[in-house]
Amino acid sequence: MPSVDYPNFSARRGVGRVAQQLRLEDWAWQIAADVYRLNLYSRLTGRAAPGGAVSDEQLARAIRESFTQTNDAAYREMVELATDAALSTYDRVVSRNVKQARAQLAS
């Protein structure tokens, strides 16, 4: 998983709070998408991503190149594992920031 600086999405009242929640959700989905690409690329190629990030083009090339080498069941399993890792990352990111916001509200 890439190293990430977690932004401080503390809870605020009114419109600012809603805007922060939307930014948090967008940010969490972006992190989850990055984890998905990295995980699937690694599973397809058997190596870590160059530079710690995978572009859509790199992932597409890895999929094309592995298509003849991977059977359908194995490919589906790789996609499922990458999806699970991405969703787990999303949950952790959101949970961490929700806990942090609650702690800030309590203090």
Side-chain angles (χ1 to χ4, degrees), residues 24-104:
L24 169 60
E25 188 172 321
D26 289 346
W27 177 75
W29 279 121
Q30 183 58 52
I31 296 297
D34 291 345
V35 166
Y36 177 83
R37 281 193 301 272
L38 284 167
N39 193 299
L40 187 56
Y41 180 87
S42 174
R43 290 181 183 282
L44 290 170
T45 64
R47 61 184 187 272
V54 176
S55 69
D56 290 337
E57 295 79 25
Q58 288 172 310
L59 183 57
R61 185 171 45 253
I63 290 169
R64 279 191 308 273
E65 289 173 359
S66 69
F67 203 68
T68 59
Q69 301 168 2
T70 306
N71 65 40
D72 287 345
Y75 182 75
R76 278 193 296 273
E77 182 180 1
M78 287 182 217
V79 169
E80 185 176 319
L81 291 170
T83 301
D84 289 347
L87 292 174
S88 176
T89 299
Y90 177 84
D91 287 342
R92 286 192 315 269
V93 167
V94 171
S95 292
R96 178 191 177 279
N97 280 285
V98 167
K99 287 177 186 176
Q100 183 181 19
R102 286 182 180 156
Q104 288 177 354

Side-chain angles (χ1 to χ4, degrees), residues 9-10 12-27:
F9 288 105
S10 62
R12 294 190 184 148
R13 298 183 191 273
V15 175
R17 184 175 180 179
V18 172
Q20 284 188 328
Q21 181 62 33
L22 292 174
R23 284 195 308 265
L24 169 60
E25 188 172 321
D26 289 346
W27 177 75

